[in-house]
């Protein structure tokens, strides 16, 4: 997964667990795509300080994911829901009767995640 997409997902799931300052700087880097220099000037800290803070936030967010696996579960659920959608579209077109049963099995798996 592309790094920036992963950072965005981790932030979506765990960002509220960061301090307000960490959230502000991390959002500027990851979501608003500001440069480290721009953020450093605005925050009145060094560029290296911004870099270190972003790296620290990355480690913190990855640590939460290692413990809770919410992003992993979300991605698996999304994949399974897509499979259900494909099966139901095929079912509507009248190609196979067993498709409804397959969709029900995938829905059961989603319930177990």
């Amino acid at each position: 997964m592309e790094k920036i997409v992963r950072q965005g997902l981790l932030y979506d799931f765990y960002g509220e667990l960061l301090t307000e300052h960490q959230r502000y700087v991390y959002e500027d880097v990851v979501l608003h795509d500001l440069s480290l220099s721009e953020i450093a000037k605005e925050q009145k800290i060094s560029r290296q300080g911004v870099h270190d803070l972003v790296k620290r936030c990355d480690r913190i967010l990855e640590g939460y994911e290692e413990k809770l696996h919410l992003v992993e579960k979300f991605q698996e659920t999304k994949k399974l829901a897509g499979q259900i959608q494909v099966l139901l579209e095929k079912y509507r077109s009248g190609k196979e009767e067993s498709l409804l049963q397959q969709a029900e099995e995938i829905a059961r798996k989603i319930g177990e995640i």
Side-chain angles (χ1 to χ4, degrees):
M1 180 185 326
E2 189 179 328
K3 180 182 177 182
I4 198 75
V5 173
R6 179 151 179 90
Q7 285 176 312
L9 278 172
L10 289 170
Y11 183 78
D12 286 346
F13 280 90
Y14 307 112
E16 289 299 315
L17 301 173
L18 298 173
T19 68
E20 185 177 342
H21 179 68
Q22 289 171 330
R23 279 195 313 269
Y24 184 79
V25 171
Y26 201 77
E27 283 178 7
D28 280 349
V29 171
V30 175
L31 304 179
H32 304 133
D33 198 29
L34 296 178
S35 72
L36 299 180
S37 298
E38 290 171 314
I39 299 165
K41 184 177 180 181
E42 185 177 308
Q43 293 290 313
K44 296 182 172 79
I45 58 176
S46 70
R47 185 183 176 284
Q48 184 64 44
V50 174
H51 178 268
D52 291 347
L53 179 62
V54 171
K55 290 296 180 192
R56 187 175 327 116
C57 289
D58 282 337
R59 283 192 307 273
I60 290 168
L61 297 174
E62 287 289 351
Y64 289 136
E65 177 60 14
E66 286 176 20
K67 291 177 179 86
L68 302 172
H69 306 284
L70 295 179
V71 173
E72 178 185 329
K73 290 174 185 177
F74 168 75
Q75 290 174 320
E76 181 65 17
T77 301
K78 188 175 176 181
K79 181 182 106 187
L80 292 171
Q83 290 175 2
I84 289 173
Q85 186 174 9
V86 168
L87 291 172
L88 293 175
E89 287 171 7
K90 287 181 182 178
Y91 177 77
R92 283 191 200 105
S93 67
K95 293 182 180 175
E96 289 185 47
E97 285 297 315
S98 68
L99 295 174
L100 194 56
Q101 184 178 8
Q102 291 175 25
E104 288 171 342
E105 177 63 23
I106 293 171
R108 185 189 59 72
K109 287 181 184 178
I110 290 173
E112 294 173 358
I113 291 179

